[in-house]
Amino acid sequence: MLRWSFVSVFAALSCWVLPSWAQTDDSPALATHPKTVEVAGQSLQRNGAGIRTKAIFKVYSAALYLEQPVTSLDEIAPLQGPKRMAVRMLHTINASELGKLFAHGMQDNMDKQQFSKLVPGVLRMSEVFSRHKELKPGDQFTLDWIPGKGMVLSVNGQPEPAEFPEPEFYQAMLGIWLGPKPADARLKRALLGEQRIE
């Protein structure tokens, strides 16, 4: 079992992302993210997708799905329909460390007062990933925003019982990839569809 240190996992998740323009639908990794998905009974369009790599290793692919195209994080919050962030692992990662990295990513993109209000949700999220021990190639998780319910975190298609009802929490989660201090600027551009994969 591959177990990376916190610093190593952070580097894998925050560096060397292949921009979307370097990918096509012929890429097996991106082909797992269809152009449309259905969330809460509504069809969503893929806004953008990209792949993260560490050295020669592809770490994961990610895709953002929305009811209409956007080019910034600020445009997402006003959307009234469902939303989805989908991640599919391409390399083994310690799931507990991944949860910690998400917490740090949220904190990096908001002020301390805002983040302090979301700490209970951050702890619930970390507990979810801790239970899964590790994520292996082919494993996937989705962060769905369901109007009237909140964020639903699913791992390998199974919704977790933890509740995340605050819209601010979901926006903060998206900020990990799309905020003013994203984990990687090139992946941010890919997810925001600056170079769309058609």
Side-chain angles (χ1 to χ4, degrees):
M1 179 178 69
L2 176 63
R3 295 184 65 86
W4 294 352
S5 68
F6 179 84
V7 174
S8 296
V9 176
F10 183 82
L13 290 171
S14 62
C15 299
W16 299 293
V17 179
L18 294 180
S20 64
W21 48 261
Q23 307 297 328
T24 70
D25 278 350
D26 295 330
S27 166
L30 290 182
T32 61
H33 299 293
K35 292 183 179 180
T36 62
V37 296
E38 187 171 300
V39 177
Q42 182 171 334
S43 179
L44 302 180
Q45 301 292 318
R46 186 180 63 195
N47 196 77
I51 298 174
R52 289 194 179 208
T53 64
K54 164 62 176 175
I56 63 173
F57 299 107
K58 293 181 179 180
V59 182
Y60 67 81
S61 61
L64 175 65
Y65 293 91
L66 301 167
E67 59 189 276
Q68 65 186 54
V70 303
T71 58
S72 72
L73 177 62
D74 290 341
E75 294 176 53
I76 297 177
L79 298 180
Q80 298 299 306
K83 305 158 190 175
R84 168 171 288 183
M85 184 71 185
V87 174
R88 186 178 183 88
M89 304 309 301
L90 303 173
H91 202 76
T92 302
I93 285 184
N94 181 287
S96 179
E97 297 294 350
L98 184 61
K100 293 177 183 177
L101 291 174
F102 283 168
H104 282 284
M106 294 170 69
Q107 191 172 20
D108 287 343
N109 284 280
M110 43 196 332
D111 63 42
K112 293 182 179 179
Q113 185 174 3
Q114 289 176 313
F115 182 76
S116 65
K117 296 178 181 178
L118 302 181
V119 167
V122 172
L123 294 176
R124 292 194 299 272
M125 178 191 64
S126 297
E127 290 171 1
V128 169
F129 282 106
S130 294
R131 289 198 301 272
H132 287 274
K133 306 301 182 182
E134 67 178 7
L135 295 171
K136 301 177 181 179
D139 286 343
Q140 56 188 329
F141 62 89
T142 55
L143 307 172
D144 290 344
W145 176 258
I146 310 297
K149 183 173 184 178
M151 187 183 87
V152 176
L153 169 57
S154 299
V155 180
N156 291 326
Q158 297 299 316
E160 293 290 332
E163 296 182 353
F164 305 91
E166 310 89 348
E168 296 83 4
F169 187 85
Y170 191 75
Q171 192 75 356
M173 286 295 295
L174 293 182
I176 296 170
W177 296 278
L178 308 176
K181 297 179 180 179
D184 187 281
R186 289 179 294 177
L187 181 57
K188 174 181 177 177
R189 292 195 295 270
L191 293 171
L192 290 175
E194 291 187 10
Q195 296 289 337
R196 295 188 182 280
I197 305 169
E198 301 297 347

